[in-house]
Amino acid sequence: MQVSEIFYTIQGEGITVGQPAVFLRLSGCHLRCGWCDSKFTWDRKSGSKMKLEDIAAKIKEFPCEHLVITGGEPLLQQQHILDLLKLLPDHYVEIETSGSLDTFLNDVVHHYNCSPKLENSGNKTKLKDFPREKTYFKFVVDSAEDLSEIKEFLKEYKIDRKKVLLMPQGIGKREITQRSQWLAEICKSENLRFSPRLHINIWGNKRKV
Ligand code: SF4
């Protein structure tokens, strides 16, 4: 399995924000979002090739059985994920995905954080079939114009608004703070859940946090 990094932190985004979690960041992404904060993962050969047993052992070193598998696009390596999770039967597992690839991990994943890409990413994507009871949809919002696109998306894919989170675009602490105030007002008026980027608020734009 091609691994970018493994680290222990708190989940900074989405419905489980604040939860201590081991992050397994996998290498490779088929998309090229303009504002991507993890371009270092794009190359499928970046990071290091690790044996599944060694990855599981590293994950078990941390005092937490909450695992977030992210990337890059982790579903590019889903057969390896399936095999890895056999070694971690007690872990609660979240997958961060763009939602643009078919998944066969539904039986082993507890929930998906699906982040469909809008026009603001530079590579708008179609949504594949994800189990709605296990999926939250997190949209990166860059400007007010994104709202109409998000509403169209929710209508097209019949997504329950209770499963939707809006998150400010930005990779710097100051940028996130400014956009958070603006986006919080939009969330209030649209009655949609806000997602912070808490790890950036706490540690700034650093890797392995
Ligand atoms: S899908 Fe995620 S990892 Fe891939 S380019 Fe977009 S933001 Fe970056």
Side-chain angles (χ1 to χ4, degrees):
M1 189 177 225
Q2 203 69 23
V3 175
S4 176
E5 52 195 13
I6 302 172
F7 55 97
Y8 184 42
T9 184
I10 59 164
Q11 172 60 288
E13 302 173 0
I15 199 74
T16 56
V17 69
Q19 168 69 47
V22 183
F23 271 63
L24 169 61
R25 187 185 299 285
L26 301 182
S27 306
C29 188
H30 59 303
L31 299 178
R32 295 290 181 266
C33 301
W35 37 252
C36 179
D37 62 358
S38 43
K39 292 180 179 171
F40 54 89
T41 65
W42 284 0
D43 182 349
R44 291 184 191 207
K45 292 185 179 152
S46 61
S48 35
K49 191 169 188 170
M50 291 180 71
K51 289 183 184 162
L52 299 183
E53 293 74 14
D54 293 340
I55 297 169
K58 179 76 185 163
I59 289 169
K60 285 178 181 173
E61 281 177 12
F62 301 106
C64 173
E65 290 184 338
H66 195 107
L67 176 63
V68 178
I69 305 178
T70 187
E73 172 50 75
L75 293 182
L76 288 170
Q77 298 193 64
Q78 54 185 309
Q79 183 57 54
H80 288 315
I81 293 175
L82 194 61
D83 295 336
L84 174 68
L85 294 180
K86 288 176 188 156
L87 306 175
L88 300 165
D90 298 326
H91 277 65
Y92 184 95
V93 180
E94 297 184 34
I95 299 261
E96 306 269 356
T97 175
S98 62
S100 60
L101 297 176
D102 288 313
T103 175
F104 51 79
L105 298 177
N106 294 347
D107 290 342
V108 292
V109 167
H110 294 84
H111 90 249
Y112 293 96
N113 301 309
C114 181
S115 185
K117 302 309 173 213
L118 305 174
E119 294 284 0
N120 68 29
S121 71
N123 44 210
K124 185 172 181 171
T125 54
K126 294 269 184 200
L127 179 65
K128 293 291 187 176
D129 190 21
F130 282 78
R132 297 306 171 91
E133 71 283 4
K134 289 189 175 187
T135 306
Y136 286 88
F137 295 90
K138 181 176 66 182
F139 291 91
V140 175
V141 183
D142 190 42
S143 69
E145 288 79 63
D146 296 339
L147 255 294
S148 53
E149 195 182 342
I150 291 169
K151 287 183 195 170
E152 275 174 34
F153 194 96
L154 301 185
K155 198 169 163 191
E156 180 181 353
Y157 291 100
K158 298 184 174 56
I159 294 172
D160 181 352
R161 290 168 69 95
K162 291 193 182 73
K163 307 300 283 296
V164 174
L165 301 101
L166 304 186
M167 185 173 78
Q169 196 281 110
I171 51 178
K173 205 170 178 173
R174 183 179 296 184
E175 192 182 13
I176 292 283
T177 303
Q178 286 170 349
R179 283 226 170 93
S180 292
Q181 292 172 7
W182 162 77
L183 185 58
E185 293 304 323
I186 290 176
C187 287
K188 283 161 64 183
S189 62
E190 295 290 338
N191 192 20
L192 288 170
R193 193 184 296 256
F194 175 86
S195 170
R197 303 198 78 198
L198 189 56
H199 52 302
I200 293 178
N201 291 129
I202 296 173
W203 291 291
N205 181 25
K206 292 183 184 160
R207 284 181 64 173
K208 299 192 176 183
V209 295

